[in-house]
Amino acid sequence: MPLLKTDLMKNALESPRVVALLKRIVPPLDRALLRVSRGWVNTAMQSVVLLETVGARSGRTRAVPMLCMPLGGDIVVVGSNWGKRSDPAWLHNLRANPIARVHYRGYVGPVRASEATGEERQDLWRRLVRFNPQYARYQDQTDRILPVVVLRRARAISRESSERREP
């Protein structure tokens, strides 16, 4: 049983003190673990991706570990920002520059981000909540609709580029 689906974790994630502690400790540790392990090892024992974006204003590379859901060769992430009222910085960065880099289960390379909308978003949201019920709790904590982003790997980027070039 995945760790985040246990009652122990559910109760812990409902505690503001625990969440504050996790926010400080887990991301730096996961950044290091995911880089060294090529995306295989993380503290949550869950599907976690290390997403590297280019800062929309700074132009600097920013790396953020986050829960994700594998979907075939794609990776689906949610702009939950722990249930806060604002979108996370990484989402702002992806909207400005949708080409990013990931470390995920042995794949280290480029991805193209696209925000899901309409029926695609509804379908992915249902899958995400089944995959990780914490997303529903984050959605309940905010008035904004949590963005769902699909990260497509380099092969898909190359295929899309070549399809556009051919008449």
Side-chain angles (χ1 to χ4, degrees):
M1 174 185 282
L3 182 62
L4 287 180
K5 292 183 181 178
T6 65
D7 286 340
L8 174 67
M9 284 304 292
K10 178 185 171 216
N11 293 338
L13 290 170
E14 290 175 359
S15 163
R17 285 184 175 173
V18 171
V19 170
L21 180 65
L22 290 174
K23 285 182 191 180
R24 283 197 326 264
I25 294 171
V26 172
L29 188 54
D30 273 348
R31 267 191 288 278
L33 288 171
L34 290 164
R35 280 191 176 122
V36 169
S37 71
R38 296 179 52 84
W40 284 103
V41 178
N42 64 77
T43 57
M45 297 181 288
Q46 291 284 109
S47 289
V48 175
V49 63
L50 181 64
L51 176 65
E52 296 176 352
T53 62
V54 175
R57 282 185 235 132
S58 70
R60 292 178 159 167
T61 300
R62 306 287 185 197
V64 60
M66 69 184 82
L67 293 172
C68 67
M69 180 182 75
L71 185 65
D74 298 336
I75 303 165
V76 182
V77 295
V78 177
S80 63
N81 203 14
W82 300 80
K84 292 182 184 173
R85 283 190 236 158
S86 61
D87 288 335
W90 63 262
L91 184 60
H92 177 67
N93 293 344
L94 283 180
R95 286 173 174 156
N97 182 5
I99 303 298
R101 180 178 165 90
V102 297
H103 297 246
Y104 182 70
R105 295 186 178 171
Y107 175 77
V108 177
V111 292
R112 175 182 297 276
S114 62
E115 224 170 307
T117 58
E119 287 181 31
E120 178 190 26
R121 188 202 176 280
Q122 289 175 357
D123 177 53
L124 288 173
W125 183 254
R126 280 190 295 274
R127 291 177 178 201
L128 283 158
V129 170
R130 274 195 314 269
F131 186 76
N132 182 354
Q134 187 63 29
Y135 292 127
R137 287 189 275 289
Y138 288 148
Q139 182 61 76
D140 290 343
Q141 293 174 18
T142 184
D143 293 331
R144 68 187 175 90
I145 301 297
L146 299 183
V148 174
V149 177
V150 179
L151 305 172
R152 291 191 170 79
R153 296 185 190 200
R155 282 171 271 157
I157 293 170
S158 300
R159 194 168 40 249
E160 287 174 11
S161 299
S162 64
E163 288 172 0
R164 276 191 292 240
R165 281 188 236 138
E166 295 176 11

